[in-house]
Amino acid sequence: MTPIIPIITDAAAAPTASYSQGIVAGQIVATAGQVGRDPRTGELATTLAGQVESAIANLKAVLAAAGLDLSDVVKTTCFLTRIEDFAEFDAVYRRHFADPLPARSTVGVALAGDLLFEIEAWAVKPGAAA
């Protein structure tokens, strides 16, 4: 049986409910949805671009706690409260991910409170068999 190891870091926004920031299962790392909260203050960025930047910073921190970075991400799922803001979101997202870009799904959803964006990711540890 593959051990399941939770990822816990103060460098990313703390969970606000019953979940781990991420899970390591063998060579696979799955992150919980990351939002645009500052991990030190808990403040939520007020603009879509600010929330995307902060959420990706939190994603980077969770990945770093597992010894990974954005180049190890193979799949993201992105959630927008206003799908018509896709182009603005995509411009910020593209600044953070290099080619080959991860596979991605982007959906319009209702998010809690003033959340405008959330991102979750799947990553593979370097050297994992294809």
Side-chain angles (χ1 to χ4, degrees), residues 2-41:
T2 301
I4 305 298
I5 303 164
I7 301 168
I8 302 166
T9 179
D10 292 336
T16 57
S18 303
Y19 61 89
S20 296
Q21 290 169 308
I23 293 289
V24 178
Q27 298 298 313
I28 303 295
V29 174
T31 73
Q34 301 299 309
V35 298
R37 287 197 190 287
D38 182 292
R40 293 170 303 286
T41 67

Side-chain angles (χ1 to χ4, degrees), residues 73-88:
V73 173
V74 296
K75 170 73 168 78
T76 63
T77 305
C78 299
F79 306 93
L80 290 169
T81 59
R82 294 174 30 96
I83 201 66
E84 57 269 25
D85 292 337
F86 179 86
E88 180 182 357

Side-chain angles (χ1 to χ4, degrees), residues 36-81:
R37 287 197 190 287
D38 182 292
R40 293 170 303 286
T41 67
E43 293 295 315
L44 182 66
T46 58
T47 65
L48 175 62
Q51 286 193 24
V52 174
E53 290 286 352
S54 293
I56 292 174
N58 286 325
L59 176 61
K60 288 179 182 179
V62 173
L63 291 169
L68 304 175
D69 61 35
L70 292 180
S71 70
D72 300 306
V73 173
V74 296
K75 170 73 168 78
T76 63
T77 305
C78 299
F79 306 93
L80 290 169
T81 59

